[in-house]
Each structure stands twice: as structure tokens, then as C-alpha cells.
Amino acid sequence: MDMQKYLQRINYDGPIDNQAATLDTLCACHYSHVPFENLDLFGGPRRSMNPAKIYQKIVEENRGGICCELNILFAWLLKEIGFQVELVENQIFLQKTKTFDRKLEHSTLLVTCNYGEKFFVNLSGFYYNFPLAVVDMKEQVRKSGALRLKKQDNGVYLLEKKQKQCFSFTGKEITKLHTEDDWQLIQKIDTTPRQAFEFQAIFHDIVTQRNCFTNRNTVCTAESETGVTILWGMTVYRKEYVDHCTEKVVSVVTANDQEELKMLLKKVFKLVIDYDIEPWSFDFTKEHLEELR
């Protein structure tokens, strides 16, 4: 495992120090160059939580990974640079049932910088794409959205995100307009330090079963400060951030077969896939795609 090769993989050429500004830039580079993706679950080789094997996949093979893979490897990089890093867990709040999902399914990094500032970092690419300062009830705003943490007992934080209004590229409103005070609970983060092996059972379940969001939908997503590009099933769509409360769908492209899908992955995400993917899109309905068009 070579730190310089990893930094080249994410196109980072800034200072090598443990300052908060460096962490911010490292995260931005990682989100835009290493996608969150689970494509190997749909026809590819069986993957491992071994850091060296994750390094081989992400750095040497120019691939992405799911949250455990991305966070475990990024934690290694941050420690090499000089940050203090602890692996902690988060639970996603399920809006339909108003409950949290099962424990130890998702990981997050708790990163301490040189002056003692603490940040949550999660490379899953769905909830936030910047280091989130561990500060109670502080509204943290980027163009990608507005978030805040609510401190609970025993080192637990609730993460809330301000709802957005989304438009298609034709100008059609996709979701209703929300008020400035409309916050939605999305995660519970427990700062109790964890070891990677504690996520092993869930990781094995994810790569062998079809019982959760991560393994029943073919997903690949890359973020930047200006927007997000998502593959879901056979469809790639691009959303741009107008401001922290508004986003706009600017393109939707659907592949018709395996070859077109592989071409999309290579062109949009710079991923070369040498096996046939059996795409799923269990939670992404045809009706919603029609709205996006």
C-alpha cells in the first residue's frame, strides 16, 4: 500500500498535513474520483474487507467500493498523513417505517485534526460530501445541502438534512417546495470506537444476499461541489446543485444492453468493467424515471 499512489488516484497534490483544510480537500478529491459503487455484487468477483485487497481494487484497478471498503481504506490514508481516526457506526433512518436500520451495517470515520477539531467523514456518497464538524446544532451549509447534528446522550448524534426542491431539466418540479425549517432525520451516529472486524458479518451478508439497499440496487455515484452523477440499474442521471435548497436534473441516459452500460461506466465514471453486470433497480421505479425525464 503506497500513500503517494493513493493520492495520485484521487488527484490530490496539496500539502501533506493534518489540518482541517487538508481534510476538506482530500474528501473533495476522493468523492469526485473514487465512486461509491457495488457493481461487483452483480456479476463480479467476491470482495474482501482486507485493507490490502481494498487498496488493490481501488488504487491499482481504478475502481470504487461500498462504504466499508471506502472508509477503511481512507482511514488508512488519513492515519498515514497524521490524522487521528476512529471507525464508528451510523444507522440510516428509514423514512417509511420511522425506524433505524440494523446495527453495524454502515460505517463512518471520526477524524481529529491538528487543533483538536473533530469531523465525521462518510464516503458513501449519498448523505453528505464534505467533512461534517462535530458541533451540536450548528447549521453546516454547502452547495450540496444543509445539515446539522443534534447531540444525544452517550456520544450519540442525530444527523438531520434540510429538505430540497428538485427540478427536471425541463423545469418540471419533482418534489414539493419545502420551508426553511423543514429538517429531515437521516442518520444516527454513535461515536463509540469500532474495529473493522465488527462490520465483517454485515459485509458478508451484503455481498451474498439481496436484503438491503446496498445489495439490491446496482449503484455507482460520483459527487463534486457542483452536482452528483448516479447510475441506478441501467440509467445514469446527473443532478446539479443550484443552491443548498435546490437541485436540478440536467440529464438522464439509459443503456439498452451490456455494451452500452459498460460504455457509460467508462465514459462517465472512468470504470472499466470486464464482466457482464446483472443490473437491479428494486427501489427506483419506472414512474420516477419518467418524472426525471
Side-chain angles (χ1 to χ4, degrees), residues 168-288:
S168 70
F169 55 85
T170 61
K172 180 180 177 182
E173 184 180 322
I174 304 300
T175 58
K176 69 184 180 70
L177 181 64
H178 298 282
T179 68
E180 282 294 305
D181 294 325
D182 197 353
W183 291 85
Q184 184 179 66
L185 176 61
I186 58 173
Q187 286 185 14
K188 176 172 65 177
I189 306 174
D190 187 338
T191 59
T192 302
R194 298 286 187 177
Q195 299 297 318
F197 73 83
E198 296 182 70
F199 295 88
Q200 183 64 56
I202 298 297
F203 183 84
H204 179 267
D205 191 26
I206 288 173
V207 301
T208 58
Q209 304 296 323
R210 288 280 182 268
N211 59 2
C212 69
F213 168 86
T214 307
N215 56 30
R216 66 184 179 185
N217 298 282
T218 315
V219 179
C220 184
T221 177
E223 294 216 34
S224 68
E225 293 183 359
T226 59
V228 58
T229 304
I230 300 174
L231 165 76
W232 200 290
M234 298 281 281
T235 299
V236 173
Y237 70 99
R238 169 73 182 173
K239 292 193 294 184
E240 290 187 353
Y241 305 131
V242 179
D243 55 45
H244 72 279
C245 284
T246 311
E247 56 190 26
K248 182 179 180 181
V249 178
V250 295
S251 67
V252 180
V253 180
T254 300
N256 294 309
D257 54 37
Q258 285 289 331
E259 291 308 310
E260 287 189 10
L261 179 58
K262 291 177 184 178
M263 287 176 62
L264 272 176
L265 288 167
K266 184 176 181 179
K267 179 180 179 181
V268 178
F269 299 99
K270 296 181 173 57
L271 299 182
V272 177
I273 305 298
D274 59 3
Y275 55 82
D276 285 346
I277 300 168
E278 302 172 2
W280 287 43
S281 53
F282 185 89
D283 292 333
F284 203 55
T285 65
K286 180 181 178 181
E287 290 75 14
H288 188 60

Side-chain angles (χ1 to χ4, degrees), residues 55-66:
Y55 174 90
Q56 174 67 27
K57 175 187 176 184
I58 291 175
V59 178
E60 301 290 353
E61 299 174 14
N62 205 57
R63 291 287 304 277
I66 61 176

Side-chain angles (χ1 to χ4, degrees), residues 21-231:
T22 299
L23 177 65
D24 195 277
T25 306
L26 284 165
C27 287
C29 289
H30 208 289
Y31 278 113
S32 58
H33 290 86
V34 181
F36 172 92
E37 54 105 337
N38 64 355
L39 302 179
D40 284 346
L41 305 185
F42 301 87
R46 180 69 60 85
R47 291 303 183 178
S48 165
M49 283 180 62
N50 179 284
K53 291 184 178 181
I54 300 173
Y55 174 90
Q56 174 67 27
K57 175 187 176 184
I58 291 175
V59 178
E60 301 290 353
E61 299 174 14
N62 205 57
R63 291 287 304 277
I66 61 176
C67 66
C68 278
E69 295 174 299
L70 298 174
N71 288 334
I72 286 172
L73 192 61
F74 196 51
W76 172 83
L77 176 67
L78 294 179
K79 289 177 182 178
E80 288 290 300
I81 291 173
F83 293 94
Q84 296 179 37
V85 185
E86 293 178 328
L87 186 68
V88 300
E89 73 159 320
N90 70 74
Q91 291 178 266
I92 307 300
F93 186 71
L94 307 175
Q95 303 298 331
K96 288 184 179 180
T97 60
K98 303 301 179 185
T99 59
F100 291 99
D101 62 5
R102 56 186 176 174
K103 291 181 67 63
L104 293 172
E105 184 166 349
H106 307 281
S107 63
T108 291
L109 303 181
L110 176 58
V111 183
T112 304
C113 299
N114 60 335
Y115 292 116
E117 317 103 300
K118 293 183 181 294
F119 296 88
F120 289 127
V121 172
N122 190 330
L123 297 179
S124 68
F126 280 99
Y127 300 99
Y128 53 98
N129 65 348
F130 57 89
L132 191 64
V134 183
V135 181
D136 187 34
M137 292 302 293
K138 176 184 178 181
E139 185 171 337
Q140 303 184 52
V141 179
R142 298 284 180 98
K143 202 168 184 180
S144 59
L147 300 106
R148 69 184 181 190
L149 292 162
K150 285 186 175 181
K151 188 175 182 180
Q152 309 294 294
D153 295 331
N154 301 319
V156 172
Y157 290 83
L158 298 180
L159 175 59
E160 297 181 329
K161 188 169 186 176
K162 188 171 288 186
Q163 296 251 27
K164 288 186 175 184
Q165 185 179 24
C166 183
F167 291 90
S168 70
F169 55 85
T170 61
K172 180 180 177 182
E173 184 180 322
I174 304 300
T175 58
K176 69 184 180 70
L177 181 64
H178 298 282
T179 68
E180 282 294 305
D181 294 325
D182 197 353
W183 291 85
Q184 184 179 66
L185 176 61
I186 58 173
Q187 286 185 14
K188 176 172 65 177
I189 306 174
D190 187 338
T191 59
T192 302
R194 298 286 187 177
Q195 299 297 318
F197 73 83
E198 296 182 70
F199 295 88
Q200 183 64 56
I202 298 297
F203 183 84
H204 179 267
D205 191 26
I206 288 173
V207 301
T208 58
Q209 304 296 323
R210 288 280 182 268
N211 59 2
C212 69
F213 168 86
T214 307
N215 56 30
R216 66 184 179 185
N217 298 282
T218 315
V219 179
C220 184
T221 177
E223 294 216 34
S224 68
E225 293 183 359
T226 59
V228 58
T229 304
I230 300 174
L231 165 76

